[in-house]
Amino acid sequence: EAGVAQSPRYKIIEKRQSVAFWCNPISGHATLYWYQQILGQGPKLLIQFQNNGVVDDSQLPKDRFSAERLKGVDSTLKIQPAKLEDSAVYLCASSLVGQGLENSPLHFGNGTRLTVT
Amino acid sequence: QKEVEQDPGPLSVPEGAIVSLNCTYSNSAFQYFMWYRQYSRKGPELLMYTYSSGNKEDGRFTAQVDKSSKYISLFIRDSQPSDSATYLCAMSETNFGNEKLTFGTGTRLTIIP
């Protein structure tokens, strides 16, 4: 089975610019997550979708971050305007619904490494 | 206080040594415990999963959970250079699907040939 695809792999922008990341989950995975991983820290959940509905976006900085999953498949995460502290790896993950953590763990993509200068 | 605390390391050990990685947590509602392995410039991948207190063994890896102490461990026996990676503990309150995982900060491990 193909894994979670993310693009781009790397992005360098200046502060106050905008940037967008794309994620295509594993086929059939209804749940999609965006995590932010700052260097030296563990992943922090930004937003969670089930199909095209938002399950949890409590930690998403909504003044500058937005995400959508219009057709319940692929997703985009946008930052506008970017700040220096947004420099991080943005990880997308997907999983099956209702299968449990052991039978359907989160499958992560390799992430997009964002540097804001 | 963070919900999940993990010694960030880095930790370097010689090949063949036994490695012990640990996490503590404060949220007593956590019942499902996982260890993820993350190679450099890759996404995390599930290594071990345990429910509630007890031990689970899978090859050279053993996961332990002590809910009374709010402490979990991962042991690696006969460590290999291919085990060099960052190890992240993760926890969840539920296991119905749509879980929100809380991760530790990760321990960077290097196995020296």
Side-chain angles (χ1 to χ4, degrees):
Chain A
E1 109 189 317
V4 176
Q6 289 189 248
S7 67
R9 284 284 278 143
Y10 305 93
K11 191 74 177 178
I12 301 174
I13 61 172
E14 295 181 351
K15 60 184 178 184
R16 292 187 289 272
Q17 286 187 325
S18 63
V19 64
F21 313 126
W22 175 82
C23 171
N24 187 252
I26 293 172
S27 177
H29 282 196
T31 306
L32 184 147
Y33 309 79
W34 284 101
Y35 281 84
Q36 180 193 57
Q37 187 174 23
I38 293 172
L39 184 64
Q41 297 183 21
K44 184 185 86 170
L45 179 68
L46 293 175
I47 189 167
Q48 178 182 345
F49 293 94
Q50 181 171 333
N51 296 310
N52 59 349
V54 175
V55 174
D56 185 346
D57 64 356
S58 58
Q59 297 192 85
L60 186 73
K62 297 180 185 66
D63 57 333
R64 298 185 300 105
F65 286 65
S66 64
E68 61 183 10
R69 193 183 185 200
L70 290 175
K71 296 182 179 179
V73 182
D74 56 353
S75 175
T76 55
L77 177 69
K78 297 179 181 178
I79 308 175
Q80 182 178 16
K83 293 185 175 181
L84 296 177
E85 59 261 35
D86 298 331
S87 294
V89 175
Y90 290 84
L91 293 163
C92 179
S94 69
S95 68
L96 290 167
V97 176
Q99 300 295 314
L101 290 162
E102 185 172 22
N103 297 322
S104 180
L106 272 63
H107 293 265
F108 284 87
N110 289 329
T112 295
R113 184 176 298 268
L114 174 67
T115 301
V116 182
T117 63
Chain B
Q1 181 188 13
K2 289 184 179 180
E3 272 194 300
V4 180
E5 302 273 4
Q6 184 175 5
D7 186 342
L11 182 62
S12 294
V13 301
E15 183 175 355
I18 296 174
V19 176
S20 172
L21 305 169
N22 310 295
C23 287
T24 59
Y25 61 96
S26 57
N27 183 355
S28 58
F30 287 141
Q31 296 191 70
Y32 303 90
F33 305 92
M34 290 139 281
W35 286 93
Y36 277 77
R37 179 174 59 194
Q38 186 174 24
Y39 290 114
S40 180
R41 302 192 183 279
K42 298 290 187 181
E45 57 179 347
L46 181 66
L47 185 63
M48 296 287 285
Y49 164 90
T50 52
Y51 166 63
S52 196
S53 288
N55 294 356
K56 183 174 182 178
E57 187 174 321
D58 184 1
R60 297 183 296 109
F61 299 90
T62 299
Q64 284 187 353
V65 175
D66 182 350
K67 289 190 68 183
S68 63
S69 301
K70 296 190 178 66
Y71 187 87
I72 71 170
S73 300
L74 177 71
F75 297 95
I76 307 174
R77 293 185 301 280
D78 187 25
S79 55
Q80 303 294 310
S82 58
D83 296 329
S84 297
T86 296
Y87 289 80
L88 298 154
C89 61
M91 306 179 187
S92 173
E93 296 181 16
T94 61
N95 192 22
F96 307 131
N98 292 336
E99 266 58 61
K100 172 183 173 181
L101 298 187
T102 301
F103 283 88
T105 54
T107 300
R108 187 172 176 180
L109 173 66
T110 301
I111 307 299
I112 304 167

